[in-house]
Amino acid sequence: MRYSPAMRTIRLLAAAAVLFAVAPSPGATADRSPAGPVRLAPKGPATATGEPRPPRAGAGRPSYGMTAAGIGAVVLLAGLAAGRRPLLRAVRRRRRAALGRRLAADTRTQLVVRHALRELALAGRPDSPVRVRGVLAEPGRVLATVSAAGPAPAPWTALTPTRWERTGLAPAGTPAPGPGPLPQLTRLGAVGRGQVLVNLARIGGVLSVLGDPAVAREAVLALVDGVLEAAPAARTVLVAVGPGAGELPGPPAVLRVRTIRQIPALRGAGTPQATAGLVVLLHRPDAEEARQLAALAGLKGGSWTVLTVGHVPGAHWLWYAAADGTVDAGVLGHRVVVPVRSSARRRL
């Protein structure tokens, strides 16, 4: 295994700490026999009476200076490890920012996925449609997470009852066959060389992103970006909630309210063509806000889907954000690297 220069230095310091901590003091001698260690007095010149000179004060005791040096090396090692954490986080953030720019410039993947999912939409029966929760789009294949009782239609292959695979995809230059079958399919991030897309229409209530609050916020914003790009075709009302939401600048596709209590009246006010409502909360809800969000998502005929940072009781989907910039996407079965938005796309 190869180590970086910094890691080799840390390993050498650790070895030095162990040696300094266990080294005996100079001049101390010991005779180890099978019965165990026996401490012997160091030899010295005889006195005038012929008796051996008593040992020097402190002889045979461990060297506290050397032990302190070992402890100091351990402390230095711990300090170096702690100092690397902010640096590592900054490096990861730069990589995720580069990922965000690459994903924003990629139009081919969305095109290929629309082709593949249209096949599933046409193959489904009216009484048993194929419901797609999410998609992992990799070079050469699409892996869909579905909830369907029937078999996978050709040319799809069922890897498991809920994982269907499609290979031999349409070429990049083929035009899209009309609007996509899943207008609320939006990109979350990357897994290896692939991209993960989420069908927000299948949440059916509240999506709570727990864990690291900064990464959880970035995950919600990644979904929001996809919704904003498809908002006209998706006919989606997107509502941002926050104390200062009314003053924040942003695109006309976003409605902004200060409190959750204002939301139920929005669907009938100036949005008669909307077929779906999406509520975005970018701060951790308190107990009263969490109760209101749960009630809002449960309104009959309301069709509200909630994306929030933090816990909401009874959330339909739970994701977990880690400090390394990844999100465990729960029922989708993927750990996704979440991109960092560019400054030009910070609209919420």
Side-chain angles (χ1 to χ4, degrees):
M1 181 182 297
R2 295 185 177 180
Y3 296 97
S4 64
M7 183 58 69
R8 285 197 295 269
T9 301
I10 291 175
R11 287 169 63 85
L12 289 174
L13 286 173
V18 173
L19 290 176
F20 282 133
V22 303
S25 63
T29 62
D31 177 24
R32 296 188 179 274
S33 64
V38 178
R39 187 184 303 276
L40 299 179
K43 295 182 179 181
T47 62
T49 61
E51 296 294 330
R53 187 181 300 275
R56 185 176 65 256
R61 297 180 183 176
S63 171
Y64 294 105
M66 301 296 284
T67 303
I71 295 174
V74 172
V75 172
L76 175 61
L77 178 62
L80 287 173
R84 290 178 69 246
R85 293 193 190 103
L87 177 61
L88 183 59
R89 188 171 183 122
V91 170
R92 286 171 173 163
R93 186 171 181 83
R94 285 197 297 270
R95 290 176 178 172
R96 293 193 293 121
L99 172 65
R101 292 190 294 270
R102 178 171 64 82
L103 295 182
D106 176 26
T107 58
R108 178 186 184 278
T109 299
Q110 299 270 13
L111 181 65
V112 170
V113 169
R114 283 201 298 270
H115 273 277
L117 294 183
R118 177 167 288 276
E119 295 173 347
L120 287 182
L122 296 176
R125 302 189 306 270
D127 59 336
S128 181
V130 178
R131 295 181 172 87
V132 179
R133 294 175 174 173
V135 171
L136 172 62
E138 296 179 325
R141 77 161 187 163
V142 169
L143 183 66
T145 302
V146 302
S147 56
W156 287 78
T157 302
L159 303 181
T160 70
T162 59
R163 293 289 183 93
W164 293 359
E165 182 187 54
R166 170 72 160 92
T167 57
L169 302 171
T174 305
L182 301 178
Q184 293 192 55
L185 189 72
T186 180
R187 185 162 42 201
L188 173 61
V191 175
R193 298 177 60 196
Q195 300 178 25
V196 173
L197 297 93
V198 183
N199 183 13
L200 301 182
R202 296 306 308 156
I203 295 176
V206 179
L207 165 61
S208 291
V209 187
L210 311 178
D212 185 274
V215 178
R217 178 186 174 95
E218 289 162 356
V220 171
L221 288 175
L223 298 177
V224 168
D225 278 339
V227 172
L228 292 177
E229 291 170 359
R235 297 166 63 190
T236 301
V237 177
L238 196 151
V239 181
V241 181
E247 290 79 20
L248 292 176
V254 180
L255 302 177
R256 299 167 189 278
V257 297
R258 294 177 180 274
T259 66
I260 300 171
R261 297 182 184 277
Q262 299 173 258
I263 296 176
L266 295 179
R267 291 294 296 278
T271 58
Q273 303 300 319
T275 59
L278 192 66
V279 177
V280 180
L281 196 70
L282 295 178
H283 63 269
R284 292 182 181 272
D286 58 30
E288 178 60 20
E289 287 178 323
R291 186 193 65 77
Q292 293 174 4
L293 289 173
L296 186 67
L299 288 176
K300 292 184 178 181
S303 301
W304 288 106
T305 297
V306 177
L307 309 179
T308 181
V309 174
H311 178 64
V312 172
H316 296 68
W317 284 11
L318 287 176
W319 292 357
Y320 296 88
D324 63 358
T326 62
V327 168
D328 181 350
V331 296
L332 301 182
H334 303 296
R335 179 171 289 277
V336 185
V337 179
V338 178
V340 175
R341 305 166 98 210
S342 65
S343 57
R345 297 173 66 88
R346 292 174 186 167
R347 294 168 291 190
L348 284 178

